[in-house]
Amino acid sequence: MCDFFSTHCADIWIAFIGAFFGFGLALAIEFFIRWLSGKDEKKRIKQEKADKVAYYRLLLEEIVKKIKKQSEKVEEYIEEQSKALLDPKPLPHIPTNSFNRIKTVDNRGIFEALSDRFVGDSNWLKNYSNLNSYIDYLDEVISVEYIRINDTTLDKGFEDLKEIKKLIESIPDILSKEAMVKKEQFGEKRKADAEYQFLDKFILKFRELSQETPTNWDKFNKDFLEPILKEIEPFQTKDYALSVIFACKQARVKMNDVKEDLKYTLSQYKQINETLSEPISELEKMISKLKS
């Protein structure tokens, strides 16, 4: 036995050392592979966070772009609608899914990515919270408030205009009935009668204004209602005249209601638009930081 170990001792040590180094090399290779894998994983995570920050910045840019465009549309609407207070129109709305996207995005992932991005900035969490509040406010304005105000104004305005139309259309009917009475009383001589001339004049004026499309309620007020109220004075004690005067005055009251409601709506739009500058500015600041 001793002779065997003596004879093969060198071989045994060589085999042992070879096995030891082989095992060590295997460990070294495994460690190196894991190190490379860990390095690749860190690189992947870093790129993933960078992509999330870039996507978040893109969403912020889309929101700012849409808000500015909507604000411009509102300003244009205010200018145009203020010239036609008896013709309420829908407020142009710029569609956007940016708010839904930014609210349904991986919030935790975005938060962690931004946390890494602003490491060392003690105010970043407060700024991030404020930014979310600004986004919520802008979403409320664009997606809810503008639409609510517009719908309320249009619904009431259209109902008032229907009543105005009904009142104005009743006037020529009343005038025509009285004109028929004059015709039966005076025949062809009626044309020389001042009262018949008054009746005929405004029956024809109504027909003329009714031909215009769309209906110009301002012209109806200026060229029909106002002149009737002045020229009917000599006949104002008659029953038909009292009905005409009532219809004219009620129509004008309703017209004033439409105008005042629209003026108030436009003032609301203006006030809301003035509140958008601060949120937009804060979003632009964040966008600038994310670009740097």
Side-chain angles (χ1 to χ4, degrees), residues 88-219:
K89 291 183 172 61
L91 176 71
H93 185 258
I94 306 296
T96 177
N97 291 322
S98 300
F99 290 109
N100 288 334
R101 290 196 190 102
I102 207 164
K103 289 181 178 181
T104 57
V105 76
D106 178 11
N107 288 322
R108 181 180 179 84
I110 293 293
F111 179 84
E112 292 175 351
L114 291 175
S115 181
D116 282 356
R117 179 69 176 75
F118 295 113
V119 63
D121 183 349
S122 59
N123 293 321
W124 93 266
L125 188 57
K126 179 181 178 182
N127 293 337
Y128 178 67
S129 177
N130 290 340
L131 191 73
N132 285 333
S133 296
Y134 285 128
I135 291 171
D136 288 341
Y137 175 74
L138 293 173
D139 186 20
E140 180 73 15
V141 168
I142 295 297
S143 305
V144 179
E145 196 61 11
Y146 275 148
I147 295 173
R148 181 192 66 80
I149 294 172
N150 182 68
D151 288 348
T152 300
T153 302
L154 290 181
D155 288 346
K156 186 177 185 304
F158 290 153
E159 286 301 314
D160 285 341
L161 288 173
K162 282 169 61 177
E163 185 63 23
I164 290 167
K165 183 175 183 292
K166 181 179 177 181
L167 287 164
I168 290 178
E169 288 179 345
S170 72
I171 295 171
D173 291 341
I174 298 170
L175 297 178
S176 295
K177 288 179 182 179
E178 189 62 23
M180 289 300 296
V181 172
K182 291 289 183 182
K183 182 179 180 181
E184 291 174 1
Q185 286 180 341
F186 303 109
E188 287 300 315
K189 293 181 180 179
R190 72 187 185 281
K191 295 180 181 179
D193 180 71
E195 188 173 8
Y196 179 83
Q197 290 173 0
F198 159 78
L199 298 169
D200 188 56
K201 173 182 177 180
F202 285 103
I203 291 171
L204 294 175
K205 176 55 71 173
F206 173 82
R207 290 175 183 171
E208 175 191 329
L209 295 175
S210 297
Q211 299 301 312
E212 295 187 18
T213 304
T215 303
N216 190 325
W217 297 113
D218 278 310
K219 287 187 72 173

